[in-house]
Amino acid sequence: MLIKLLSGDTPRSSLLAVLLLVILISLAFAPFLFPGTRSLETAAKICIFIVLVASYDLLLGYAGIVSFAHTMFFGIGAYGTALALSTTGPTYGSMIWGTAAGAIVAAVFALAIGLFSLRVKAIFFAMVTLAVASAFAVLVSQLSWLTGGEDGLNYSIPREFKPAFKLVDEKIFDVRINGKLLLYYLVFFASLILFLTMLRIVNSPFGRTLKAVRDNAFRAEAIGYRVVWYRTTATVLSAVMAALAGSLLAIWLRYTGPATTLSMEIMIDILLMVVIGGMGTLYGAVIGAAIFILAQTYLQNLMGVAAEATSAIPLVSTLVAPERWLLWLGVLFILSVYFFPSGIVGRLRAGRT
């Protein structure tokens, strides 16, 4: 049953299986294992970014397409849900049609980019996507009457997902069952379903053909496969999944703005997560997203503790000062690339531990 659920794509490494199980259990029971608002925010962000990074790996790792427009699709999904909730009110209908509209618009944009740009060489396609994403970000910032401009959009969500809503009066394992908890599990289960869907896609005949196109496009075309069609379809599927991840973020944050969805920093973070986890394996998205977001959230705090512990050693305490957390995050990334050139998942699978 479990193998069927994973579409036959097992971890193929005992250590990797343990890591994935730990992440799954931690996210599934995060409200009970890690009480506090910050930990719940971190767990929800990991869930959303697992979907976002996996959708990008579908494009980069499986189709071999380098794109810098992924945050554009992420933003389209987020703005679709945000605009629906802000214009028609905090209803379930608004959430559904806003999410669907965002996914459809993202698919149309991806189809247009794919049909008009995928015939060019890889580097030129990457530049085209970068230009389109930059133009879209500027457009969103300029259309302040619609998108809120740089300030973004604030909106409400159905009351059942608000912290003030209580499902039951009594606490369960010292945790209040309120709307915030229900919203977290909406994000968790939606992310899980989307991830398993992508796992099914990459392990289908379509996914295997996509790998063949990635490895040798000329050979694949010579034996009869329509290379542009497969690449365009992969681009559209990747965009739709990214848009759905954006919708989840919009519902969770109750705010959507250029900085949270469209910035180049997010695109760079996605690339880092893919490289850390390992390209061409969706499990890499799980490992990469979990490690990167945990480091991004808690590394500064850990360095503060280290700085206090080494306060008697001037040079060391200066090096581990909390304000230098970005430096050490970069060092961790360099070390991960050096010791895991094929990503953590690739290394663990090669070792067959």
Side-chain angles (χ1 to χ4, degrees):
M1 178 64 181
L2 180 60
I3 294 176
K4 187 176 181 180
L5 192 64
L6 296 176
S7 303
D9 191 356
T10 57
R12 301 200 298 273
S13 162
S14 56
L15 181 54
L16 177 59
V18 170
L19 287 174
L20 293 172
L21 187 61
V22 168
I23 293 172
L24 177 62
I25 292 173
S26 298
L27 292 176
F29 299 102
F32 303 96
L33 295 175
F34 314 106
T37 303
R38 190 180 187 188
S39 59
L40 194 64
E41 293 284 344
T42 303
K45 188 176 180 181
I46 290 173
C47 291
I48 293 167
F49 268 80
I50 285 174
V51 176
L52 181 59
V53 176
S55 68
Y56 188 68
D57 193 40
L58 176 64
L59 193 64
L60 178 63
Y62 287 88
I65 300 170
V66 179
S67 170
F68 293 108
H70 213 61
T71 50
M72 180 182 74
F73 304 128
F74 186 53
I76 288 172
Y79 272 101
T81 303
L83 288 169
L85 288 168
S86 60
T87 55
T88 60
T91 64
Y92 293 107
S94 299
M95 285 173 52
I96 292 170
W97 80 257
T99 300
I104 292 169
V105 172
V108 171
F109 269 73
L111 181 62
I113 292 173
L115 290 177
F116 288 106
S117 306
L118 279 173
R119 295 180 185 275
V120 301
K121 292 184 178 180
I123 186 63
F124 297 107
F125 176 78
M127 293 300 101
V128 168
T129 58
L130 179 60
V132 172
S134 300
F136 185 82
V138 171
L139 182 65
V140 168
S141 298
Q142 295 296 318
L143 297 176
S144 56
W145 59 272
L146 179 65
T147 64
E150 293 292 341
D151 295 330
L153 294 171
N154 289 289
Y155 41 87
S156 187
I157 57 176
R159 62 178 295 272
E160 290 80 9
F161 293 136
K162 294 180 179 178
F165 175 79
K166 295 178 183 178
L167 186 63
V168 293
D169 292 329
E170 298 79 14
K171 291 185 177 180
I172 298 178
F173 296 111
D174 204 33
V175 174
R176 192 172 299 283
I177 310 302
N178 58 12
K180 190 75 171 179
L181 187 71
L182 297 178
L183 180 58
Y184 172 76
Y185 278 108
L186 171 67
V187 171
F188 171 77
F189 284 111
S191 300
L192 182 62
I193 291 169
L194 290 174
F195 180 80
L196 292 175
T197 300
M198 284 186 279
L199 206 59
R200 175 66 266 176
I201 291 171
V202 299
N203 288 288
S204 67
F206 170 80
R208 287 189 285 272
T209 305
L210 208 57
K211 291 180 187 177
V213 171
R214 175 200 64 191
D215 294 338
N216 196 319
F218 293 108
R219 184 182 300 167
E221 194 163 17
I223 60 177
Y225 289 112
R226 298 168 62 188
V227 170
V228 173
W229 184 88
Y230 277 96
R231 286 178 170 171
T232 302
T233 304
T235 304
V236 171
L237 288 172
S238 175
V240 169
M241 291 297 174
L244 293 174
S247 295
L248 290 176
L249 183 70
I251 295 168
W252 176 257
L253 291 181
R254 289 184 288 171
Y255 166 80
T256 298
T260 59
T261 56
L262 298 172
S263 72
M264 186 53 64
E265 290 181 7
I266 298 175
M267 187 68 245
I268 294 171
D269 289 347
I270 294 170
L271 282 167
L272 293 178
M273 292 179 208
V274 170
V275 172
I276 290 170
M279 289 188 293
T281 164
L282 294 188
Y283 294 126
V286 179
I287 302 294
I291 291 175
F292 188 88
I293 292 174
L294 286 174
Q296 199 177 47
T297 306
Y298 295 108
L299 183 60
Q300 192 171 11
N301 293 346
L302 292 174
M303 288 181 64
V305 173
E308 289 181 9
T310 58
S311 57
I313 312 172
L315 180 60
V316 175
S317 61
T318 302
L319 285 173
V320 297
E323 58 268 21
R324 290 183 171 81
W325 72 277
L326 275 174
L327 169 66
W328 288 105
L329 186 62
V331 170
L332 287 174
F333 172 68
I334 293 170
L335 290 175
S336 68
V337 172
Y338 181 78
F339 289 106
F340 303 98
S342 58
I344 294 173
V345 172
R347 180 64 179 272
L348 292 177
R349 281 182 164 178
R352 294 274 181 156
T353 55

